[in-house]
Amino acid sequence: MILPEPIVLTSGLTAEFEEDRWVPGAIQLLVDGTPQSHVDLRDPSQLFFEYVRRIGHVIDLFRPEGAPISALHLGGGAFTLPRYVEATRPGSRQQIIELEGALVDLVREAAPLPRRASIRVRRGDAREVLGKLPEGMRGAMDLVVVDIFAGDRTPAHVSSTEFYELIRPLLAPAGVVVVNVTDGSGQAFTRGQTATLASLFPTVAAIAEPQVLKGRRFGNVVLLASGETDGSPSPDARADDLDWLPRLLASGPHPARMLAGRELDEWLRGARPVFDADAAPSPEPPPEVFGRG
């Protein structure tokens, strides 16, 4: 397999692809040595990273099997999840917002998107582009995936209430927002993100490996948010109103724990929504997480 040469992004970080030695036909995107995306070119329905598999199960369960959806992906990576949606829900209409235009070109060279796929890529900062999307996208998105990283950290300006308020009007009825968060000891960043979503949506849940949720290990937490989007969340709406959530937990990867309803409320005790004025980037992973130690 011949892969393109590494490139330097506008951030100064280096992006490159490498072959997966253990999965024939699969490649991995690295940004400054941090694994960002994994793509099985032979079968895009196969997902590798644990948190991506959890998001994949959301995609499997939140609408009838195989039915096409409208999806917006904030943060492109190697377009792993858009490829997954196309493979499992053919006919879906998708858009990707990716800051790094050079990365988009690199991905298209290393792993071109299926020609039949209805996937549009918009280049630019996610928050800026969200404010300029066509009026026809309002109330039309079944799924919005937020997976935005600059290297190995989520920038502050895409972690605030003001940012998520740009997403809320885009959701279709019963639409779902899925957010990938990375955090470690104490889970302060994740709890802030969850409290922010809970201030905007009546239905919120968090799922991850138990030791990660307890703040004993650095890792990914997948946050889900849904419900009425008129700005008036019902206090009676609970996460278990979504009957597919128990199946999501059972789908793995295991071990897994999901926080919802009263258990989530207890976990969030003392956490407050994040606003632009106090937003901060996600914590930097410990060196050993990606073998940099």
Side-chain angles (χ1 to χ4, degrees):
M1 182 184 301
I2 300 177
L3 295 173
E5 293 295 317
I7 63 169
V8 178
L9 305 175
T10 58
S11 62
L13 303 177
T14 299
E16 60 185 323
F17 276 98
E18 66 177 14
E19 292 187 54
D20 187 330
R21 293 179 296 172
W22 312 110
V23 182
I27 57 176
Q28 182 168 256
L29 172 66
L30 306 176
V31 176
D32 256 25
T34 300
Q36 295 282 332
S37 300
H38 183 280
V39 177
D40 188 332
L41 297 174
R42 296 182 180 181
D43 185 0
S45 69
Q46 298 300 309
L47 301 176
F48 183 76
F49 293 153
E50 179 182 282
Y51 85 91
V52 179
R53 289 164 60 194
R54 296 194 196 282
I55 298 175
H57 292 318
V58 173
I59 295 168
D60 294 341
L61 296 172
F62 89 119
R63 292 289 189 270
E65 183 178 356
I69 61 172
S70 294
L72 175 64
H73 305 265
L74 307 183
F79 307 159
T80 302
L81 285 170
R83 298 175 201 271
Y84 181 80
V85 171
E86 174 61 25
T88 60
R89 296 181 174 276
S92 294
R93 299 176 63 86
Q94 303 185 74
Q95 299 207 24
I96 302 166
I97 300 177
E98 170 57 50
L99 174 63
E100 294 283 358
L103 179 60
V104 172
D105 295 335
L106 180 71
V107 171
R108 282 179 162 160
E109 181 181 353
L113 289 168
R115 292 185 179 181
R116 69 180 184 277
S118 176
I119 302 176
R120 175 174 179 177
V121 181
R122 297 176 181 269
R123 307 184 188 210
D125 178 83
R127 182 159 171 174
E128 292 181 7
V129 176
L130 280 174
K132 302 175 183 177
L133 291 176
E135 185 66 24
M137 291 182 64
R138 293 176 64 89
M141 296 295 103
D142 299 302
L143 175 73
V144 178
V145 177
V146 183
D147 190 11
I148 304 173
F149 284 82
D152 50 20
R153 305 179 73 182
T154 297
H157 74 291
V158 290
S159 68
S160 65
T161 298
E162 291 88 343
F163 167 70
Y164 288 111
E165 283 179 334
L166 295 173
I167 295 174
R168 189 169 59 169
L170 300 174
L171 289 181
V176 174
V177 179
V178 182
V179 185
N180 172 40
V181 181
T182 58
D183 204 353
S185 178
Q187 290 289 308
F189 182 81
T190 304
R191 290 170 66 246
Q193 292 299 282
T194 310
T196 301
L197 291 170
S199 71
L200 298 172
F201 299 93
T203 303
V204 177
I207 184 168
E209 182 184 318
Q211 294 302 308
V212 173
L213 284 175
K214 291 177 182 178
R216 296 175 181 172
R217 187 175 70 81
F218 193 95
N220 298 78
V221 180
V222 174
L223 306 179
L224 313 175
S226 185
E228 295 300 323
T229 60
D230 62 358
S232 304
S234 167
D236 297 326
R238 309 301 299 175
D240 56 10
D241 289 339
L242 298 182
D243 58 6
W244 50 269
L245 281 179
R247 287 182 288 152
L248 175 62
L249 183 62
S251 297
H254 298 292
R257 183 184 179 193
M258 182 168 61
L259 301 176
R262 293 180 180 177
E263 194 172 18
L264 183 73
D265 293 342
E266 185 64 28
W267 186 68
L268 287 178
R269 190 181 299 276
R272 296 183 177 182
V274 176
F275 294 91
D276 280 344
D278 54 10
S282 63
E284 188 170 358
E288 65 270 16
V289 169
F290 299 116
R292 299 190 300 253

